[in-house]
Amino acid sequence: MRKNIQFVVVLFFVTLAFLVMLNDVTNNRNPEYQNSVELYEANNQTDLATTDLEDVE
């Protein structure tokens, strides 16, 4: 009987921890992480990509 109560208590806290973690991950609205990508305007740049291949004449 005691092992059953311990199992239920452990299962309750594991489930509670999982739900709290899931709630934290889904409701993360921290702007520090949302604005982690910097965008640059490339209006005057014509050579945006380079390759390692040489032109063969």
Side-chain angles (χ1 to χ4, degrees), residues 25-55:
V25 169
T26 57
N27 292 330
N28 188 6
R29 304 244 188 273
N30 191 350
E32 179 182 342
Y33 296 112
Q34 290 180 352
N35 296 330
S36 62
V37 177
E38 295 180 7
L39 299 177
Y40 297 99
E41 292 185 23
N43 293 333
N44 296 328
Q45 296 179 359
T46 56
D47 297 327
L48 293 179
T50 59
T51 60
D52 293 336
L53 301 176
E54 296 181 6
D55 292 333

Side-chain angles (χ1 to χ4, degrees), residues 11-32:
L11 186 63
F12 172 75
F13 282 113
V14 167
T15 305
L16 182 66
F18 177 75
L19 291 176
V20 168
M21 181 191 68
L22 186 64
N23 186 31
D24 186 45
V25 169
T26 57
N27 292 330
N28 188 6
R29 304 244 188 273
N30 191 350
E32 179 182 342

